[in-house]
Amino acid sequence: MILVTGGAGFIGANFVLDWLVATGEPVVNLDKLTYAGNLGNLAPIEGDRRHVFVRGDIGDAALVGQLLATHRPRAVVNFAAESHVDRSIHGPAAFVETNVAGTFSLLESVRGYFGTLEGGERERFRFLHVSTDEVYGSLGPRDPAFSETTAYAPNSPYSASKAASDHFVRAWHHTYGLPVLTTNCSNNYGPRQFPEKLIPLMIVNALAGKPLPVYGDGAQVRDWLYVGDHCSAIRAVLERGRVGEVYNVGGDAEMRNLDVVKAICATLAQLRPGRDYASQIAFVRDRPGHDRRYAIDARKIRGELGWTPAETFATGLERTVRWYLDNASWLDSVQSGDYRRWIAEQYAEAAK
Ligand code: NAD
Ligand code: DAU
């Protein structure tokens, strides 16, 4: 079996659901259930004996040590993190706590467990760390895309904390021989993404007749990947990746934010006609330190591991919008009082 951390969040939950379909191999899922974690994301596998959910913190060494000793996973896949850039600007401490100190503590727990493995179990064991393209900083319009050898240049508290975690993972391989793999992926979108991130926020606001808040001039570029394609990339790296290596993951789908928002409006106009969604677009104050462009050069994972994304941005976006339209009760359940407070505070400031 494998141990997944952060498997009640957006990508982690999609990964667990896909994993059980693709491999059938049991999963222990350790998640703290912060505001971003939601057991409703795992509703399709409720009662499935191949999935064991444990509420807890990756930084709780006693709990993690006990889980490792009891379940003896052949791999650990680390999704657990604070993941929203705007929240990291408001309150960076939680990002240092989970992404830096939490990853460090998890690495120490896994190192202790790895030390008990012998023979084939030791040979086979892997620690896969899920990271982001944001660690590479910001590109100019004509710069080449980020490759695995691009120097780290994180610009936000979030990306600085992820960069730190990547460095710890690398060091635990070089110093202690822990068999690690790291993936650095571009922006994901798809079902079950918390509606604080660009694409689900725009869908939710569009449907509610609220403004669609585009930061600055909306010409920032992100390289979008459907979440199911990120999951298949992680499976490929886990099974065939070379120990100690980094793999960049991206969908060759660079888009300006304003064009993403317009594409959402156009998709909604087809699937839920009756309103001029694009007229709700509102330009608001820019994010401090806003990275201008991200782009991923994914030739290594494509060439070495034969991975390719199944979705284009157009097909992935349509699937995503359909999912949100079909899952109104999920959307209601995640828009708690805390969520509404975050949105009110964040966008009142942005409107100033
Ligand atoms: P998310 O915020 O939706 O989910 C994070 C999950 O981690 C939540 O379920 C939360 O409860 C859990 N968690 C937080 N702190 C924890 C802790 N201390 N111990 C245990 N669980 C904890 O995030 P996401 O978008 O699914 O991202 C998952 C991972 O992928 C993160 O490491 C993120 O940096 C990385 N990533 C995300 C994207 C993206 O576009 N969303 C792209 C590339 C990489
Ligand atoms: O690149 C990978 C990263 O992508 C992940 O590591 C992060 O966890 C994930 O949150 C995401 O970070 P971004 O900052 O790129 O994603 P976000 O959805 O917050 O914003 C996407 C772009 O849209 C960004 O340029 C900011 C802009 N934006 C965002 C919001 C929430 C707006 O214009 N308006 C908004 O209201």
PDB file of all heavy atoms in Angstrom, residues 6 8-11 31-34 36-37 56-58 79-81 83 98 130-132 158 162 185-188 197, ligand 1:
ATOM      1  N   GLY A   6      -2.315  14.815   2.658  1.00  0.00           N
ATOM      2  CA  GLY A   6      -3.094  15.880   2.009  1.00  0.00           C
ATOM      3  C   GLY A   6      -4.098  15.340   1.002  1.00  0.00           C
ATOM      4  O   GLY A   6      -4.514  16.037   0.078  1.00  0.00           O
ATOM      5  N   ALA A   8      -7.214  14.818   1.214  1.00  0.00           N
ATOM      6  CA  ALA A   8      -8.597  15.317   1.237  1.00  0.00           C
ATOM      7  C   ALA A   8      -8.686  16.684   0.562  1.00  0.00           C
ATOM      8  O   ALA A   8      -9.751  17.291   0.524  1.00  0.00           O
ATOM      9  CB  ALA A   8      -9.114  15.411   2.676  1.00  0.00           C
ATOM     10  N   GLY A   9      -7.547  17.165   0.052  1.00  0.00           N
ATOM     11  CA  GLY A   9      -7.541  18.433  -0.671  1.00  0.00           C
ATOM     12  C   GLY A   9      -7.842  18.198  -2.145  1.00  0.00           C
ATOM     13  O   GLY A   9      -8.207  17.095  -2.563  1.00  0.00           O
ATOM     14  N   PHE A  10      -7.667  19.241  -2.923  1.00  0.00           N
ATOM     15  CA  PHE A  10      -8.046  19.195  -4.349  1.00  0.00           C
ATOM     16  C   PHE A  10      -7.272  18.105  -5.113  1.00  0.00           C
ATOM     17  O   PHE A  10      -7.850  17.119  -5.589  1.00  0.00           O
ATOM     18  CB  PHE A  10      -7.829  20.592  -4.940  1.00  0.00           C
ATOM     19  CG  PHE A  10      -7.759  20.665  -6.425  1.00  0.00           C
ATOM     20  CD1 PHE A  10      -8.730  20.078  -7.232  1.00  0.00           C
ATOM     21  CD2 PHE A  10      -6.703  21.360  -7.051  1.00  0.00           C
ATOM     22  CE1 PHE A  10      -8.660  20.166  -8.622  1.00  0.00           C
ATOM     23  CE2 PHE A  10      -6.629  21.452  -8.428  1.00  0.00           C
ATOM     24  CZ  PHE A  10      -7.593  20.849  -9.218  1.00  0.00           C
ATOM     25  N   ILE A  11      -5.962  18.262  -5.219  1.00  0.00           N
ATOM     26  CA  ILE A  11      -5.202  17.320  -6.060  1.00  0.00           C
ATOM     27  C   ILE A  11      -5.082  15.968  -5.358  1.00  0.00           C
ATOM     28  O   ILE A  11      -5.229  14.911  -5.992  1.00  0.00           O
ATOM     29  CB  ILE A  11      -3.804  17.876  -6.405  1.00  0.00           C
ATOM     30  CG1 ILE A  11      -3.926  19.253  -7.051  1.00  0.00           C
ATOM     31  CG2 ILE A  11      -3.060  16.917  -7.343  1.00  0.00           C
ATOM     32  CD1 ILE A  11      -2.600  19.966  -7.272  1.00  0.00           C
ATOM     33  N   ASP A  31      -4.511  13.439   6.540  1.00  0.00           N
ATOM     34  CA  ASP A  31      -4.851  14.837   6.210  1.00  0.00           C
ATOM     35  C   ASP A  31      -5.319  15.543   7.484  1.00  0.00           C
ATOM     36  O   ASP A  31      -6.102  15.005   8.263  1.00  0.00           O
ATOM     37  CB  ASP A  31      -5.960  14.872   5.138  1.00  0.00           C
ATOM     38  CG  ASP A  31      -6.094  16.249   4.497  1.00  0.00           C
ATOM     39  OD1 ASP A  31      -6.457  17.211   5.215  1.00  0.00           O
ATOM     40  OD2 ASP A  31      -5.858  16.355   3.286  1.00  0.00           O
ATOM     41  N   LYS A  32      -4.874  16.777   7.630  1.00  0.00           N
ATOM     42  CA  LYS A  32      -5.204  17.563   8.824  1.00  0.00           C
ATOM     43  C   LYS A  32      -6.619  18.134   8.759  1.00  0.00           C
ATOM     44  O   LYS A  32      -7.161  18.595   9.761  1.00  0.00           O
ATOM     45  CB  LYS A  32      -4.180  18.702   8.908  1.00  0.00           C
ATOM     46  CG  LYS A  32      -4.205  19.555  10.135  1.00  0.00           C
ATOM     47  CD  LYS A  32      -3.032  20.550  10.059  1.00  0.00           C
ATOM     48  CE  LYS A  32      -3.072  21.545  11.198  1.00  0.00           C
ATOM     49  NZ  LYS A  32      -1.965  22.531  11.071  1.00  0.00           N
ATOM     50  N   LEU A  33      -7.208  18.120   7.570  1.00  0.00           N
ATOM     51  CA  LEU A  33      -8.526  18.746   7.337  1.00  0.00           C
ATOM     52  C   LEU A  33      -8.502  20.210   7.769  1.00  0.00           C
ATOM     53  O   LEU A  33      -9.238  20.633   8.662  1.00  0.00           O
ATOM     54  CB  LEU A  33      -9.663  17.973   8.028  1.00  0.00           C
ATOM     55  CG  LEU A  33      -9.905  16.554   7.507  1.00  0.00           C
ATOM     56  CD1 LEU A  33     -11.085  15.903   8.234  1.00  0.00           C
ATOM     57  CD2 LEU A  33     -10.158  16.525   5.992  1.00  0.00           C
ATOM     58  N   THR A  34      -7.619  20.974   7.118  1.00  0.00           N
ATOM     59  CA  THR A  34      -7.657  22.426   7.259  1.00  0.00           C
ATOM     60  C   THR A  34      -8.883  22.917   6.493  1.00  0.00           C
ATOM     61  O   THR A  34      -9.650  22.106   5.959  1.00  0.00           O
ATOM     62  CB  THR A  34      -6.404  23.065   6.622  1.00  0.00           C
ATOM     63  OG1 THR A  34      -6.457  22.838   5.202  1.00  0.00           O
ATOM     64  CG2 THR A  34      -5.113  22.489   7.186  1.00  0.00           C
ATOM     65  N   ALA A  36      -9.029  23.754   3.658  1.00  0.00           N
ATOM     66  CA  ALA A  36      -8.961  23.269   2.261  1.00  0.00           C
ATOM     67  C   ALA A  36      -9.234  21.774   2.143  1.00  0.00           C
ATOM     68  O   ALA A  36      -9.450  21.269   1.045  1.00  0.00           O
ATOM     69  CB  ALA A  36      -7.583  23.577   1.673  1.00  0.00           C
ATOM     70  N   GLY A  37      -9.214  21.067   3.262  1.00  0.00           N
ATOM     71  CA  GLY A  37      -9.430  19.618   3.231  1.00  0.00           C
ATOM     72  C   GLY A  37     -10.890  19.311   3.493  1.00  0.00           C
ATOM     73  O   GLY A  37     -11.540  19.971   4.298  1.00  0.00           O
ATOM     74  N   GLY A  56      -4.851  13.998  10.758  1.00  0.00           N
ATOM     75  CA  GLY A  56      -3.646  14.328  11.514  1.00  0.00           C
ATOM     76  C   GLY A  56      -2.707  15.185  10.697  1.00  0.00           C
ATOM     77  O   GLY A  56      -2.940  15.452   9.511  1.00  0.00           O
ATOM     78  N   ASP A  57      -1.633  15.584  11.374  1.00  0.00           N
ATOM     79  CA  ASP A  57      -0.683  16.567  10.836  1.00  0.00           C
ATOM     80  C   ASP A  57       0.590  15.857  10.393  1.00  0.00           C
ATOM     81  O   ASP A  57       1.117  15.015  11.139  1.00  0.00           O
ATOM     82  CB  ASP A  57      -0.379  17.558  11.982  1.00  0.00           C
ATOM     83  CG  ASP A  57       0.312  18.808  11.512  1.00  0.00           C
ATOM     84  OD1 ASP A  57       1.227  18.718  10.664  1.00  0.00           O
ATOM     85  OD2 ASP A  57      -0.055  19.890  12.004  1.00  0.00           O
ATOM     86  N   ILE A  58       1.117  16.229   9.220  1.00  0.00           N
ATOM     87  CA  ILE A  58       2.389  15.627   8.783  1.00  0.00           C
ATOM     88  C   ILE A  58       3.513  15.938   9.768  1.00  0.00           C
ATOM     89  O   ILE A  58       4.516  15.235   9.809  1.00  0.00           O
ATOM     90  CB  ILE A  58       2.812  16.058   7.358  1.00  0.00           C
ATOM     91  CG1 ILE A  58       2.880  17.591   7.237  1.00  0.00           C
ATOM     92  CG2 ILE A  58       1.893  15.459   6.297  1.00  0.00           C
ATOM     93  CD1 ILE A  58       3.579  18.075   5.950  1.00  0.00           C
ATOM     94  N   PHE A  79       1.357  15.406  -0.653  1.00  0.00           N
ATOM     95  CA  PHE A  79       0.599  16.543  -1.194  1.00  0.00           C
ATOM     96  C   PHE A  79       0.359  17.599  -0.125  1.00  0.00           C
ATOM     97  O   PHE A  79       0.014  18.738  -0.454  1.00  0.00           O
ATOM     98  CB  PHE A  79      -0.796  16.089  -1.662  1.00  0.00           C
ATOM     99  CG  PHE A  79      -0.815  15.186  -2.854  1.00  0.00           C
ATOM    100  CD1 PHE A  79      -0.864  13.806  -2.706  1.00  0.00           C
ATOM    101  CD2 PHE A  79      -0.811  15.711  -4.139  1.00  0.00           C
ATOM    102  CE1 PHE A  79      -0.910  12.964  -3.808  1.00  0.00           C
ATOM    103  CE2 PHE A  79      -0.855  14.887  -5.248  1.00  0.00           C
ATOM    104  CZ  PHE A  79      -0.906  13.503  -5.083  1.00  0.00           C
ATOM    105  N   ALA A  80       0.424  17.233   1.152  1.00  0.00           N
ATOM    106  CA  ALA A  80      -0.027  18.127   2.222  1.00  0.00           C
ATOM    107  C   ALA A  80       0.723  19.451   2.175  1.00  0.00           C
ATOM    108  O   ALA A  80       1.955  19.476   2.176  1.00  0.00           O
ATOM    109  CB  ALA A  80       0.188  17.463   3.580  1.00  0.00           C
ATOM    110  N   ALA A  81      -0.032  20.536   2.132  1.00  0.00           N
ATOM    111  CA  ALA A  81       0.588  21.868   2.111  1.00  0.00           C
ATOM    112  C   ALA A  81      -0.489  22.918   2.298  1.00  0.00           C
ATOM    113  O   ALA A  81      -1.671  22.672   2.071  1.00  0.00           O
ATOM    114  CB  ALA A  81       1.300  22.112   0.773  1.00  0.00           C
ATOM    115  N   SER A  83      -1.632  25.997   0.294  1.00  0.00           N
ATOM    116  CA  SER A  83      -1.415  26.084  -1.152  1.00  0.00           C
ATOM    117  C   SER A  83      -1.845  27.392  -1.810  1.00  0.00           C
ATOM    118  O   SER A  83      -1.634  27.553  -3.012  1.00  0.00           O
ATOM    119  CB  SER A  83      -2.157  24.928  -1.834  1.00  0.00           C
ATOM    120  OG  SER A  83      -3.569  25.139  -1.744  1.00  0.00           O
ATOM    121  N   THR A  98       3.599  24.318   7.967  1.00  0.00           N
ATOM    122  CA  THR A  98       3.300  23.055   7.270  1.00  0.00           C
ATOM    123  C   THR A  98       4.308  22.762   6.159  1.00  0.00           C
ATOM    124  O   THR A  98       4.864  21.674   6.083  1.00  0.00           O
ATOM    125  CB  THR A  98       1.866  23.070   6.699  1.00  0.00           C
ATOM    126  OG1 THR A  98       0.958  22.847   7.782  1.00  0.00           O
ATOM    127  CG2 THR A  98       1.653  21.987   5.658  1.00  0.00           C
ATOM    128  N   VAL A 130       5.362  16.412  -3.928  1.00  0.00           N
ATOM    129  CA  VAL A 130       4.597  17.126  -4.961  1.00  0.00           C
ATOM    130  C   VAL A 130       4.855  18.625  -4.805  1.00  0.00           C
ATOM    131  O   VAL A 130       4.467  19.222  -3.798  1.00  0.00           O
ATOM    132  CB  VAL A 130       3.091  16.824  -4.816  1.00  0.00           C
ATOM    133  CG1 VAL A 130       2.304  17.573  -5.887  1.00  0.00           C
ATOM    134  CG2 VAL A 130       2.842  15.313  -4.913  1.00  0.00           C
ATOM    135  N   SER A 131       5.519  19.205  -5.800  1.00  0.00           N
ATOM    136  CA  SER A 131       5.812  20.633  -5.693  1.00  0.00           C
ATOM    137  C   SER A 131       5.284  21.400  -6.906  1.00  0.00           C
ATOM    138  O   SER A 131       4.481  20.877  -7.678  1.00  0.00           O
ATOM    139  CB  SER A 131       7.308  20.865  -5.457  1.00  0.00           C
ATOM    140  OG  SER A 131       7.508  22.211  -5.072  1.00  0.00           O
ATOM    141  N   THR A 132       5.742  22.621  -7.031  1.00  0.00           N
ATOM    142  CA  THR A 132       5.095  23.576  -7.929  1.00  0.00           C
ATOM    143  C   THR A 132       6.105  24.279  -8.838  1.00  0.00           C
ATOM    144  O   THR A 132       7.285  24.406  -8.480  1.00  0.00           O
ATOM    145  CB  THR A 132       4.358  24.633  -7.072  1.00  0.00           C
ATOM    146  OG1 THR A 132       3.911  25.685  -7.916  1.00  0.00           O
ATOM    147  CG2 THR A 132       5.260  25.236  -5.996  1.00  0.00           C
ATOM    148  N   TYR A 158       4.316  31.719  -0.194  1.00  0.00           N
ATOM    149  CA  TYR A 158       3.970  30.336  -0.573  1.00  0.00           C
ATOM    150  C   TYR A 158       5.118  29.677  -1.344  1.00  0.00           C
ATOM    151  O   TYR A 158       5.587  28.594  -0.976  1.00  0.00           O
ATOM    152  CB  TYR A 158       2.688  30.326  -1.419  1.00  0.00           C
ATOM    153  CG  TYR A 158       2.486  29.024  -2.168  1.00  0.00           C
ATOM    154  CD1 TYR A 158       2.172  27.844  -1.491  1.00  0.00           C
ATOM    155  CD2 TYR A 158       2.635  28.964  -3.565  1.00  0.00           C
ATOM    156  CE1 TYR A 158       2.005  26.643  -2.190  1.00  0.00           C
ATOM    157  CE2 TYR A 158       2.466  27.781  -4.252  1.00  0.00           C
ATOM    158  CZ  TYR A 158       2.148  26.607  -3.561  1.00  0.00           C
ATOM    159  OH  TYR A 158       1.998  25.424  -4.247  1.00  0.00           O
ATOM    160  N   LYS A 162       7.531  26.451  -0.422  1.00  0.00           N
ATOM    161  CA  LYS A 162       7.626  25.231  -1.239  1.00  0.00           C
ATOM    162  C   LYS A 162       9.076  25.013  -1.691  1.00  0.00           C
ATOM    163  O   LYS A 162       9.568  23.885  -1.720  1.00  0.00           O
ATOM    164  CB  LYS A 162       6.701  25.317  -2.462  1.00  0.00           C
ATOM    165  CG  LYS A 162       5.219  25.257  -2.147  1.00  0.00           C
ATOM    166  CD  LYS A 162       4.761  23.929  -1.549  1.00  0.00           C
ATOM    167  CE  LYS A 162       4.787  22.793  -2.537  1.00  0.00           C
ATOM    168  NZ  LYS A 162       4.178  21.557  -1.946  1.00  0.00           N
ATOM    169  N   CYS A 185       4.909  20.992 -10.753  1.00  0.00           N
ATOM    170  CA  CYS A 185       3.803  21.063 -11.712  1.00  0.00           C
ATOM    171  C   CYS A 185       3.277  22.493 -11.856  1.00  0.00           C
ATOM    172  O   CYS A 185       3.352  23.296 -10.932  1.00  0.00           O
ATOM    173  CB  CYS A 185       2.674  20.132 -11.254  1.00  0.00           C
ATOM    174  SG  CYS A 185       1.365  19.955 -12.477  1.00  0.00           S
ATOM    175  N   SER A 186       2.695  22.755 -12.998  1.00  0.00           N
ATOM    176  CA  SER A 186       2.060  24.046 -13.276  1.00  0.00           C
ATOM    177  C   SER A 186       0.658  24.093 -12.668  1.00  0.00           C
ATOM    178  O   SER A 186       0.230  23.149 -11.996  1.00  0.00           O
ATOM    179  CB  SER A 186       2.013  24.267 -14.782  1.00  0.00           C
ATOM    180  OG  SER A 186       1.233  23.252 -15.369  1.00  0.00           O
ATOM    181  N   ASN A 187      -0.083  25.163 -12.954  1.00  0.00           N
ATOM    182  CA  ASN A 187      -1.424  25.372 -12.372  1.00  0.00           C
ATOM    183  C   ASN A 187      -2.390  24.261 -12.747  1.00  0.00           C
ATOM    184  O   ASN A 187      -2.590  23.993 -13.929  1.00  0.00           O
ATOM    185  CB  ASN A 187      -2.019  26.688 -12.876  1.00  0.00           C
ATOM    186  CG  ASN A 187      -1.402  27.886 -12.211  1.00  0.00           C
ATOM    187  OD1 ASN A 187      -0.216  28.136 -12.367  1.00  0.00           O
ATOM    188  ND2 ASN A 187      -2.194  28.622 -11.466  1.00  0.00           N
ATOM    189  N   ASN A 188      -3.001  23.672 -11.747  1.00  0.00           N
ATOM    190  CA  ASN A 188      -4.024  22.630 -11.961  1.00  0.00           C
ATOM    191  C   ASN A 188      -5.415  23.247 -11.914  1.00  0.00           C
ATOM    192  O   ASN A 188      -5.642  24.258 -11.251  1.00  0.00           O
ATOM    193  CB  ASN A 188      -3.971  21.603 -10.834  1.00  0.00           C
ATOM    194  CG  ASN A 188      -2.843  20.596 -10.960  1.00  0.00           C
ATOM    195  OD1 ASN A 188      -2.974  19.457 -10.559  1.00  0.00           O
ATOM    196  ND2 ASN A 188      -1.715  21.007 -11.515  1.00  0.00           N
ATOM    197  N   LYS A 197      -9.374  29.598  -5.644  1.00  0.00           N
ATOM    198  CA  LYS A 197      -8.432  29.644  -6.764  1.00  0.00           C
ATOM    199  C   LYS A 197      -9.154  30.169  -8.003  1.00  0.00           C
ATOM    200  O   LYS A 197     -10.386  30.090  -8.101  1.00  0.00           O
ATOM    201  CB  LYS A 197      -7.852  28.249  -7.031  1.00  0.00           C
ATOM    202  CG  LYS A 197      -7.254  27.569  -5.811  1.00  0.00           C
ATOM    203  CD  LYS A 197      -5.846  28.053  -5.487  1.00  0.00           C
ATOM    204  CE  LYS A 197      -5.376  27.668  -4.099  1.00  0.00           C
ATOM    205  NZ  LYS A 197      -5.223  26.266  -3.836  1.00  0.00           N
TER     206      LYS A 197
HETATM  207  P1  NAD B   1      -5.233  22.084  -1.240  1.00  0.00           P
HETATM  208  O1  NAD B   1      -4.999  23.318  -0.445  1.00  0.00           O
HETATM  209  O2  NAD B   1      -6.487  21.925  -2.005  1.00  0.00           O
HETATM  210  O3  NAD B   1      -5.096  20.799  -0.300  1.00  0.00           O
HETATM  211  C1  NAD B   1      -4.099  20.679   0.680  1.00  0.00           C
HETATM  212  C2  NAD B   1      -4.496  19.534   1.611  1.00  0.00           C
HETATM  213  O4  NAD B   1      -3.456  19.363   2.569  1.00  0.00           O
HETATM  214  C3  NAD B   1      -5.782  19.796   2.386  1.00  0.00           C
HETATM  215  O5  NAD B   1      -6.606  18.649   2.364  1.00  0.00           O
HETATM  216  C4  NAD B   1      -5.308  20.099   3.798  1.00  0.00           C
HETATM  217  O6  NAD B   1      -6.240  19.718   4.802  1.00  0.00           O
HETATM  218  C5  NAD B   1      -4.049  19.254   3.863  1.00  0.00           C
HETATM  219  N1  NAD B   1      -3.063  19.746   4.847  1.00  0.00           N
HETATM  220  C6  NAD B   1      -2.659  21.029   5.030  1.00  0.00           C
HETATM  221  N2  NAD B   1      -1.768  21.089   6.027  1.00  0.00           N
HETATM  222  C7  NAD B   1      -1.586  19.826   6.473  1.00  0.00           C
HETATM  223  C8  NAD B   1      -0.764  19.248   7.469  1.00  0.00           C
HETATM  224  N3  NAD B   1       0.044  19.992   8.231  1.00  0.00           N
HETATM  225  N4  NAD B   1      -0.824  17.905   7.661  1.00  0.00           N
HETATM  226  C9  NAD B   1      -1.656  17.140   6.918  1.00  0.00           C
HETATM  227  N5  NAD B   1      -2.470  17.642   5.968  1.00  0.00           N
HETATM  228  C10 NAD B   1      -2.428  18.965   5.734  1.00  0.00           C
HETATM  229  O7  NAD B   1      -3.956  21.987  -2.206  1.00  0.00           O
HETATM  230  P2  NAD B   1      -3.826  21.385  -3.680  1.00  0.00           P
HETATM  231  O8  NAD B   1      -4.119  22.442  -4.649  1.00  0.00           O
HETATM  232  O9  NAD B   1      -4.538  20.096  -3.726  1.00  0.00           O
HETATM  233  O10 NAD B   1      -2.248  21.129  -3.720  1.00  0.00           O
HETATM  234  C11 NAD B   1      -1.695  19.893  -3.275  1.00  0.00           C
HETATM  235  C12 NAD B   1      -0.189  19.942  -3.437  1.00  0.00           C
HETATM  236  O11 NAD B   1       0.142  20.173  -4.802  1.00  0.00           O
HETATM  237  C13 NAD B   1       0.482  21.066  -2.647  1.00  0.00           C
HETATM  238  O12 NAD B   1       1.698  20.586  -2.138  1.00  0.00           O
HETATM  239  C14 NAD B   1       0.726  22.155  -3.683  1.00  0.00           C
HETATM  240  O13 NAD B   1       1.837  22.940  -3.334  1.00  0.00           O
HETATM  241  C15 NAD B   1       0.988  21.313  -4.908  1.00  0.00           C
HETATM  242  N6  NAD B   1       0.669  21.939  -6.208  1.00  0.00           N
HETATM  243  C16 NAD B   1      -0.573  22.507  -6.400  1.00  0.00           C
HETATM  244  C17 NAD B   1      -0.872  23.032  -7.665  1.00  0.00           C
HETATM  245  C18 NAD B   1      -2.214  23.663  -7.943  1.00  0.00           C
HETATM  246  O14 NAD B   1      -2.397  24.267  -9.018  1.00  0.00           O
HETATM  247  N7  NAD B   1      -3.215  23.546  -7.067  1.00  0.00           N
HETATM  248  C19 NAD B   1       0.067  22.980  -8.694  1.00  0.00           C
HETATM  249  C20 NAD B   1       1.320  22.391  -8.434  1.00  0.00           C
HETATM  250  C21 NAD B   1       1.589  21.861  -7.192  1.00  0.00           C
END
